[in-house]
Amino acid sequence: MEVFSGRLRSSERRPLIGRSRQHRASLLDVRSVAGQVFLLQVVIVVLLVVAAVAAMVLQTASDAVQRGRRESVVAAQSFASAPGTAEGLRSRDPTAVLQPRAEEVRKRTGVDFVVAMSTQGIRYTYPYPREIGKKFVGTIAPALKGRTVVEQAGGPPLPAGKGTAVQAVVPVTDSRGNVVGLVSAGITVKNVAALWLPQLPIILGSGAAALALSMTGTTLLARRLRRQTHGLAPAELAQLYEHHDAVLHAVREGVLITGTDGRLLLANDETRRLLDLPADVQGRPVSELGLPEPITRLLSSPEAVTDEVHRAGNRLLAVNKRPTYPQADRRGSVVTLRDTTELATVSGRAEVARERLKLLYEAGVAIGTTLDVGRTAQELADVAAPQFADLVTVDLLDAVLRGWEPTAEGWRHLRRAAIGGEQRMIPVYPLGEVITFSHRTPQMRTLQKRRVLLEADLRQAHGWREQDPERARKALECGLRSLVTVPLQARNVPLGVVNFYRTVDSPAFQPEDLSFAEELAVRAALAIDNARRFTREHAMAVTLQRSLLPRAQPDQDALEVAWRYLPAEAGVGGDWFDVIPLSGARVALVMGDVVGHGLHAAATMGRLRTAVHNFSTLDLPVDEVLGNLDDLVVRMDNEEHAGDAAEGHEGDGVTGATCLYAVYDPVAGACAMARAGHLEPVVVCPDGTVRCPGVPASTPLGLGGYPFETAEFSLPKGSQLVLYTDGLVEDRTHDIDVGMERLRQALVGSERRTPEETCQAVIDAMKPSHSSDDIALLVARTRIFPPSRVAEWDVPSDPAVVPSVRARCRETLREWRLEEAGFATELILSELITNAIRYGVPPVSVRLLHGRCLICEVSDGSGTSPRLRRAATTDEGGRGLFLVAQFAQRWGTRYTTRGKVIWAEQLLHDGTSAIPTQTPVDFLLDQFDDPDG
């Protein structure tokens, strides 16, 4: 390969100089570059001259017109206001008077005409007498109203030329201000246009001078170019450069040239490919190119090299090096490189395989990190894009997202579950949208055939384009190119499809990509199916637990209640709560927690909640309720461990449960409470104080044989009692004391909130971002039964006082405006007092409570409870409690430390007792033959 230096010997220069002299006469030839540049300059100068002349003409004409307008107005106004003009217009012969004056003014002012006319526009003066007496050509209506009119209009011949360019019309008024005539003065177009002609030679002379300078400069530039190119014409230079560039970049050998200072002067395309050089490599030192050390050392040294083999990445290069310009001062080196192996192709395939294995490993780690179906689908999309595809969409059957078993009937309706990659650049169906695929789409075909499908060119995919023609057109315009759609199926159950798209910026999918896409989809399908099955079980457990929890607040007068229940993310637990109305307007509050999660814990919670309801119906003390509940848990645990009962269950028996049981009495404003291993409640006092009531801690349920301590304390009106489970305050990241302190801080200021607002404030402050346990929260604000709604008195143990008690009851109901409920109430009290006097033990007392319902209570010192029975026709008694049961909404007995209380409740509607109309009252009264009950 020859390398030409930039210097020429003296013997080589002579032909070029002679050639330059031969071409000197043709420097300005239009076929040469210099001639073409000169011709372009001539055209530019001519255009500039023409533009200057046009601009001058227009500007001069505009200035002349403006000046003509001013002169016309001045001349017309001067003549109109001159002495004698108004009298001349009124004279018998206005022309004889005004014509000499008008001609004198015209000649003195330089205007082309001065016309005096009547108010009808008849000329009295004109440069040509034959035009006098004719109609004036122009607008005179504004002038007749006293205004000046300036316009451009044509008219009869004038001495200066034909037609008027600018004329002004002004009114002539008398001493009273009346318009007696009009005066017009004007200048012709010919006079205006003549103003710019004297300036034309200056512009033409400037253009000629510019052309002379351009010609001189072009000649000098052409001579300088000839000297620098050694007499070579531009075509010859271009041909020389094209040959040099073609040879340099077309050879399959790398060529690079370095200078004496170690900088890279030239590198062809093959060199850049073999050495992975950047684009801006020219002029940089060899040591800064990031090449392997042996190659850097070889390029920096001045020694010649012949066929040395060096490794550059995965290539083996044969290197030859020779010095350039050996007899010149400017020395350098030229190096040739030749790829002697085919490692590039082999290593490329190995790199692709390595990347695929790496991607499969990442998919195994990144997909299925949670048991959420939507999140797992998004993980598949994020792993595949952009490493395998530019755009990835995952469409799942709606039943899969809900956790149900998918069926073939739902195949056509898939929901977009995840999108990964360039979804913002390419129009696709948005997340959450239900897509109805036609039978010809690749998605439906891959579901039906249960195998991967390839659409190498989406422009030819008619089924894909028919699904949504407009969206498909926009996607193709955005560069969408090819598609691989793979069915998602696990345990031979179809779950949906995953679509891998590539754009025109990436190579189209090839058949060898299908196996990798299928392997990726198989791994993701297993994770999605596991999440689906968990979703189904979680939904079943949540449904079961929510069905076992209270759905609405019961009617009661003691508390204003609000609650929250938040299931855990990993699965439901055994948290429960309850609000149970008791007799005497009292209310029981329950908060419990079964250890564990899942269906077993939820079912155990349901059994315990039902048991608490049953025990509370007996009106037992709070410690006895927890004692009975403890016995129940022990029996349940024994049943779980008996024989093979534990096989197939989620857990091994009842591993533990806690419970807090409280009874609030709104009449006394007192609360009795006991807790079995449960967290202590928090009380927010009306003055804003947040404190714990000091309820003694007892053992959790299920240990058996341990007593439960009861705490009794008063709660002022407006106090808030806060019950909760450990999921609210316990966390793996901090101690329970920290959670309790956060709860106290969240309750600060709750005295001004409603229970609903307090619940929301606590949840907002305490709810963790990822809850591992259920959270149950119950807030109850206390009410106090007003004394005016409570009537209580003692009854002597004498049947004769029953009528007086009934009368006192009647008077009380009259004060409460419950007269219509008097009959039923007196009947109930009469029966209960009679039974207490006859069968009970003194002291006997009566209490009436007026709230949502009317409550009648009769207490005595006996522990014997009456029972309802059917009396025979021959029995003298036994019908009293039957009457009480018929007239009361509910009735019962509760035991106290001093005896028992028999109570009955009547529902009130608008202040009246709601007596069932179907009660056979007349039949019962006919059967009632014992006045004392």
Side-chain angles (χ1 to χ4, degrees), residues 823-861:
F823 173 76
T825 305
E826 292 179 29
L827 180 60
I828 292 172
L829 277 179
S830 176
E831 295 302 328
L832 296 181
I833 294 174
T834 301
N835 284 336
I837 293 175
R838 176 176 295 182
Y839 305 111
V841 176
V844 179
S845 62
V846 176
R847 187 171 72 168
L848 297 179
L849 301 177
H850 177 203
R852 296 175 183 266
C853 57
L854 182 61
I855 303 174
C856 303
E857 294 183 345
V858 176
S859 62
D860 65 85

Side-chain angles (χ1 to χ4, degrees), residues 7-34:
R7 296 183 177 181
L8 297 175
R9 298 189 180 97
S10 59
S11 60
E12 295 174 342
R13 293 181 186 175
R14 292 175 183 174
L16 295 178
I17 296 176
R19 190 174 183 180
S20 176
R21 291 175 180 175
Q22 294 173 1
H23 288 279
R24 185 173 299 172
S26 60
L27 285 176
L28 301 182
D29 188 1
V30 294
R31 291 174 296 179
S32 65
V33 175

Side-chain angles (χ1 to χ4, degrees), residues 779-859:
V779 178
R781 171 175 284 173
T782 59
R783 298 169 178 162
I784 298 296
F785 230 82
S788 60
R789 296 297 184 94
V790 180
E792 188 173 9
W793 56 88
D794 295 331
V795 178
S797 184
D798 185 0
V801 301
V802 173
S804 63
V805 174
R806 296 176 65 172
R808 192 168 181 179
C809 172
R810 189 181 309 113
E811 181 65 25
T812 302
L813 295 181
R814 187 180 300 112
E815 294 176 0
W816 291 345
R817 298 181 181 179
L818 300 177
E819 293 88 348
E820 295 186 13
F823 173 76
T825 305
E826 292 179 29
L827 180 60
I828 292 172
L829 277 179
S830 176
E831 295 302 328
L832 296 181
I833 294 174
T834 301
N835 284 336
I837 293 175
R838 176 176 295 182
Y839 305 111
V841 176
V844 179
S845 62
V846 176
R847 187 171 72 168
L848 297 179
L849 301 177
H850 177 203
R852 296 175 183 266
C853 57
L854 182 61
I855 303 174
C856 303
E857 294 183 345
V858 176
S859 62

Side-chain angles (χ1 to χ4, degrees), residues 370-412:
T370 66
L371 290 174
D372 181 81
V373 176
R375 179 59 189 164
T376 304
Q378 187 62 49
E379 290 171 348
L380 168 61
D382 294 339
V383 166
Q387 300 181 28
F388 177 66
D390 298 320
L391 173 66
V392 180
T393 61
V394 181
D395 303 323
L396 300 178
L397 301 177
D398 206 39
V400 174
L401 291 171
R402 298 174 182 268
W404 304 340
E405 287 290 338
T407 59
E409 289 77 8
W411 284 5
R412 290 193 60 191

Side-chain angles (χ1 to χ4, degrees), residues 229-526:
T229 58
H230 304 289
L232 293 177
E236 295 171 331
L237 287 174
Q239 186 178 14
L240 180 64
Y241 173 78
E242 290 173 357
H243 292 170
H244 170 270
D245 191 67
V247 172
L248 183 65
H249 295 287
V251 296
R252 294 298 298 168
E253 287 189 0
V255 178
L256 59 89
I257 300 176
T258 60
T260 307
D261 55 356
R263 294 182 179 272
L264 185 63
L265 302 180
L266 183 144
N268 67 347
D269 295 341
E270 185 68 9
T271 300
R272 299 175 188 271
R273 186 184 70 85
L274 294 176
L275 299 180
D276 295 328
L277 296 178
D280 56 344
V281 69
Q282 189 169 350
R284 293 171 56 183
V286 174
S287 58
E288 297 180 3
L289 299 181
L291 299 175
E293 178 62 27
I295 295 182
T296 301
R297 185 170 57 253
L298 184 147
L299 296 178
S300 302
S301 64
E303 290 81 7
V305 173
T306 302
D307 290 336
E308 285 191 6
V309 178
H310 293 272
R311 179 178 294 274
N314 294 327
R315 298 182 178 92
L316 293 177
L317 303 180
V319 182
N320 290 272
K321 180 181 178 183
R322 294 291 184 273
T324 59
Y325 314 120
Q327 287 83 23
D329 298 334
R330 185 158 50 96
R331 296 177 61 85
S333 300
V334 58
V335 180
T336 61
L337 308 171
R338 186 174 64 256
D339 191 358
T340 59
T341 66
E342 295 182 356
L343 291 179
T345 303
V346 177
S347 62
R349 294 177 180 176
E351 181 67 18
V352 171
R354 188 181 67 83
E355 290 295 332
R356 294 288 171 83
L357 289 176
K358 179 181 177 182
L359 185 57
L360 285 178
Y361 172 76
E362 293 177 356
V365 174
I367 299 176
T369 58
T370 66
L371 290 174
D372 181 81
V373 176
R375 179 59 189 164
T376 304
Q378 187 62 49
E379 290 171 348
L380 168 61
D382 294 339
V383 166
Q387 300 181 28
F388 177 66
D390 298 320
L391 173 66
V392 180
T393 61
V394 181
D395 303 323
L396 300 178
L397 301 177
D398 206 39
V400 174
L401 291 171
R402 298 174 182 268
W404 304 340
E405 287 290 338
T407 59
E409 289 77 8
W411 284 5
R412 290 193 60 191
H413 306 286
L414 282 80
R415 188 179 297 273
R416 179 58 48 85
I419 304 176
E422 300 293 336
Q423 69 269 25
R424 289 176 293 181
M425 298 178 56
I426 301 175
V428 294
Y429 289 103
L431 285 175
E433 182 169 344
V434 176
I435 310 171
T436 303
F437 288 105
S438 64
H439 291 286
R440 297 186 59 188
T441 59
Q443 289 81 3
M444 281 301 298
R445 287 190 289 132
T446 193
L447 273 177
Q448 293 170 350
K449 298 179 181 179
R450 298 191 179 185
R451 60 181 180 86
V452 60
L453 292 179
L454 168 64
E455 293 287 354
D457 189 356
L458 289 176
R459 293 173 297 180
Q460 308 300 325
H462 301 292
W464 177 80
R465 300 183 65 178
E466 291 174 2
Q467 171 66 27
D468 192 337
E470 182 63 21
R471 194 185 300 270
R473 181 185 64 80
K474 293 181 179 179
L476 292 175
E477 291 177 354
C478 292
L480 213 59
R481 179 176 184 178
S482 58
L483 163 68
V484 170
T485 178
V486 189
L488 293 171
Q489 53 185 358
R491 288 177 281 273
N492 206 27
V493 176
L495 307 175
V497 295
V498 54
N499 307 296
F500 302 100
Y501 294 94
R502 282 185 182 175
T503 62
V504 293
D505 297 330
S506 303
F509 285 112
Q510 301 298 326
E512 54 266 22
D513 295 322
L514 302 186
S515 59
F516 174 77
E518 192 170 13
E519 178 66 23
L520 194 62
V522 167
R523 299 192 179 198
L526 290 175

Side-chain angles (χ1 to χ4, degrees), residues 871-882:
T873 55
T874 58
D875 292 342
E876 295 183 357
R879 301 176 179 85
L881 289 180
F882 188 71

